[in-house]
Amino acid sequence: MDVLPNFSVTHAASIDDIVRARAAAPDSRLIAGGTDLMVNIRRGIVAPSVLIDVSQVAELRTIRADADAIELGAAVTLAEVAAHPGVQQHFASVAEAAGSIAGPTHRNMGTVGGNLCLDTRCIFYNQSEWWRGAINHCLKTTGAICHVAPKSRGVCFATFSGDLAPALLVHGAEVEVGGPAGRRIFPLERLYIGHARQDRPFSETLGDGKSYLGLRPREFVIAVRAGRTPGLISGYDKIRIRRSIEYPVAGVAVALRRDGPAFADLRIAFTGTNPRPVLLAGTETLRGRSFDEESRDRLEALVRDQVMSMKTTFTPGHYRRRVASVLARRSVARLFERGESD
Ligand SMILES: Cc1cc2nc3c(=O)[nH]c(=O)nc-3n(C[C@H](O)[C@H](O)[C@H](O)COP(=O)(O)OP(=O)(O)OC[C@H]3O[C@@H](n4cnc5c(N)ncnc54)[C@H](O)[C@@H]3O)c2cc1C
Ligand code: SF4
């Protein structure tokens, strides 16, 4: 589809407005900055009859960050996050991730909520309608098979590429969501259910690249919050094809605390590699160790086990996995060194 289909736009002024508008139009979609959704509408990937603009809901515009905690409302823009002195000083991974997303104009429009709920991506999916039609579409839209893994038995491996999620995950963030049944708060990690599993049935907590968010019907993100762990320093880095404007081939957030020559805490999270942002499991085994050769080998083994190697983006899967490993090692080394002088 090259022209936009017909749709109407409702401007919400409150959380209740959003709940009501969603109930009135079941196929509606929230729109915040529109920097991802409008592209997908133009490509005929989705065609909602109603867009609910949430960018002016006052409660969603909260931004706070200090030495104790961070709170980002869903409609706060990425430019606001990147420029906030409290975020820069106390939650560096979040400021650095926000500042690395797309280009300046996207960051002025793009929001925290839109980034956390960003659609998953795939080389066979993020294409024009005629391109996808020429290959009979794929599982994530209306097709019968996955072109990445034709024997995947109904599973989609599309990749989550939002930069903010890993940066928040390493700070132990929680997300508040709202919907027809009220509000609930849960660990941000549980918002992401894209496990690309092939052996267990889909559920509210287990999905894939097509069903990648743990939101119940008509739920939406209100805010994300994290407390600050004293002594924890963090950072974010990513590799992309074009350094100016591009989704990550792989992005990595690291947060660590040193106790003399050893790790007291180490947390690493990736994006751009799996159908969900991956908070690396097993990094606690490095506590009490310095960042020596054996620690580097252990880290590499963890990445190898947990980072997916599928060709869903423009680079081969194994390349992405290697890039993720190099990025992680580089970022940990940089912060470990800095941790000594802090
Ligand atoms: C050229 C280009 C480069 C890009 N590069 C990057 C990049 O490097 N890294 C990156 O992370 N992204 C990138 N993006 C994607 C996008 O710009 C950002 O992810 C942005 O943060 C999306 O936010 P938005 O407010 O514009 O989302 P929208 O487009 O408004 O919405 C995105 C999705 O989130 C849903 N949504 C919005 N708000 C909420 C909410 N509160 N609760 C539940 N669902 C909600 C929408 O319904 C939609 O499905 C790029 C986009 C383009 C066009
Ligand atoms: S990984 Fe998902 S989006 Fe990509 S071809 Fe397979 S089903 Fe389609």
Side-chain angles (χ1 to χ4, degrees):
M1 175 152 323
D2 289 320
V3 290
L4 288 174
N6 284 330
F7 54 77
S8 60
V9 180
T10 298
H11 299 280
S14 66
I15 301 289
D16 285 349
D17 277 358
I18 305 175
V19 173
R20 272 194 296 272
R22 290 286 273 154
D27 79 329
S28 61
R29 293 291 282 260
L30 262 59
I31 184 163
T35 60
D36 189 59
L37 184 61
M38 291 312 294
V39 178
N40 285 353
I41 293 177
R42 252 195 85 176
R43 286 184 161 163
I45 286 173
V46 284
S49 65
V50 177
L51 297 182
I52 304 165
D53 170 23
V54 299
S55 61
Q56 300 309 317
V57 175
E59 188 179 343
L60 303 185
R61 299 271 311 132
T62 306
I63 176 165
R64 254 183 244 129
D66 56 27
D68 297 324
I70 185 171
E71 176 175 4
L72 303 174
V76 170
T77 67
L78 302 169
E80 288 168 333
V81 176
H84 192 282
V87 183
Q88 290 173 346
Q89 191 180 347
H90 304 292
F91 297 87
S93 61
V94 181
E96 289 170 14
S100 77
I101 293 168
T105 49
H106 301 94
R107 294 196 288 274
N108 283 339
M109 295 296 294
T111 63
V112 170
N115 194 260
L116 292 177
C117 298
L118 190 64
D119 195 6
T120 50
R121 299 179 64 74
C122 171
I123 192 170
F124 293 99
Y125 171 73
N126 297 97
Q127 304 286 353
S128 62
E129 192 165 29
W130 66 263
W131 194 103
R132 288 179 290 113
I135 56 163
N136 290 327
H137 300 275
C138 75
L139 284 178
K140 192 157 153 67
T141 50
T142 53
I145 61 161
C146 166
H147 298 295
V148 171
K151 294 184 182 160
S152 75
R153 285 175 291 157
V155 177
C156 164
F157 297 89
T159 303
F160 181 83
S161 301
D163 286 292
L164 275 186
L168 286 156
L169 284 172
V170 296
H171 286 284
E174 289 186 327
V175 64
E176 178 176 3
V177 304
R183 300 182 182 219
R184 58 191 182 111
I185 297 176
F186 52 89
L188 181 63
E189 201 179 356
R190 284 199 358 235
L191 182 63
Y192 300 106
I193 61 169
H195 282 265
R197 89 293 164 275
Q198 287 179 286
D199 49 354
R200 286 166 289 163
F202 285 97
S203 69
E204 195 180 288
T205 55
L206 203 57
D208 64 352
K210 182 175 176 179
S211 171
Y212 58 95
L213 286 179
L215 290 176
R216 294 178 184 152
R218 304 205 296 275
E219 273 188 338
F220 52 89
V221 171
I222 293 176
V224 63
R225 304 183 188 92
R228 183 163 173 276
T229 309
L232 198 73
I233 54 173
S234 68
Y236 187 76
D237 199 4
K238 73 198 240 190
I239 284 188
R240 44 188 163 174
I241 303 296
R242 299 174 293 179
R243 273 204 85 79
S244 50
I245 301 178
E246 196 58 277
Y247 290 88
V249 170
V252 62
V254 174
L256 62 81
R257 196 159 49 83
R258 266 183 81 152
D259 185 4
F263 289 108
D265 197 352
L266 176 63
R267 309 166 193 182
I268 303 175
F270 294 96
T271 191
T273 60
N274 293 48
R276 69 183 196 288
V278 176
L279 182 60
L280 202 67
T283 53
E284 67 283 355
T285 62
L286 271 69
R287 283 188 198 151
R289 299 190 57 86
S290 73
F291 198 40
D292 55 14
E293 202 53 42
E294 194 187 327
S295 297
R296 280 190 275 274
D297 287 349
R298 281 198 205 178
L299 181 57
E300 202 170 319
L302 293 177
V303 175
R304 219 173 25 241
D305 281 354
Q306 295 169 56
V307 162
M308 193 176 84
S309 75
M310 296 290 265
K311 183 174 172 34
T312 52
T313 58
F314 289 87
T315 50
H318 69 273
Y319 175 76
R320 262 188 305 142
R321 186 146 66 172
R322 286 181 66 179
V323 160
S325 183
V326 170
L327 265 184
R329 200 169 353 117
R330 206 190 279 169
S331 295
V332 173
R334 176 170 60 90
L335 285 177
F336 191 76
E337 210 168 290
R338 223 191 80 198
E340 187 178 34
S341 50
D342 271 19

